[in-house]
Amino acid sequence: MQETIQARFARKQSLDIGILVFPEVEVLDFAGPFEVFSVASRIAEKAIGVRAPFRVALAGASGAPVMARHRVGVCPHVGFDTAPAFDLLVVPGGVVDQPLADPATLAWIVRQDAGAALTASVCTGAFILARAGLLEGLAVTTHWEDIPDLRAAFPALDVREGTPWVDQGRIVTSAGISAGIGMSLHLVGRILGEDMARATARQMEFDWAPL
């Protein structure tokens, strides 16, 4: 049985979290989770004395800057060849044509997922995970506007609507854009406890409640 994210944290006491970035990635899809895990790490050090529970990195194909949506330049911390084996992988959405058509990106996601305790998607990142073959037989969600397209492209999936995220244990998918913040707070709650998730949300001044 594969190690859960909670068991991985109990064993390591610090998790490497990787967030994929690519051309035309939605800004809040990657920046929201980045902020949640970064703030949670800072809050946890103060509140419960856990030193740097999360080490968060943006990962791009070559490590070179990429242009996100709305002409926002993003500098990844690592490339595919230099990235560590992440404990938690987040695949955001946006305009996903490039990653869907790039075998190297899909192969890297599959490799990272194999070693990760948990893989999550935000918004249309669900299309990327589905194309990589990681959502088979699962309940999932995506941005409300893309629900019909996800159902049409991957009819075997149980695509849920009207929910901000769907937690299937090893795989967690969220609805669009700001829903990735709520999902990330949910994951903080799974790993560090609900009190830490609420403290992180309060620090961010984000209205959050568990499902």
Side-chain angles (χ1 to χ4, degrees), residues 84-110:
F86 292 118
D87 301 298
L88 195 165
L89 176 67
V90 179
V91 176
V95 179
V96 295
D97 295 351
Q98 189 275 332
L100 285 178
D102 183 30
T105 297
L106 297 173
W108 181 82
I109 290 169
V110 169

Side-chain angles (χ1 to χ4, degrees), residues 15-29:
L15 298 177
D16 285 303
I17 298 177
I19 304 174
L20 176 67
V21 292
F22 50 84
E24 293 295 311
V25 63
E26 187 72 44
V27 175
L28 199 57
D29 278 16

Side-chain angles (χ1 to χ4, degrees), residues 55-132:
R55 296 185 295 267
V56 194
L58 301 178
S62 67
V66 299
M67 190 66 74
R69 295 197 79 179
H70 316 301
R71 295 172 54 84
V72 175
V74 183
C75 294
H77 299 98
V78 294
F80 290 171
D81 292 340
T82 58
F86 292 118
D87 301 298
L88 195 165
L89 176 67
V90 179
V91 176
V95 179
V96 295
D97 295 351
Q98 189 275 332
L100 285 178
D102 183 30
T105 297
L106 297 173
W108 181 82
I109 290 169
V110 169
R111 289 196 304 272
Q112 283 287 344
D113 173 77
L118 192 149
T119 296
S121 68
V122 181
C123 194
T124 51
F127 286 80
I128 303 173
L129 294 189
R131 178 68 60 84

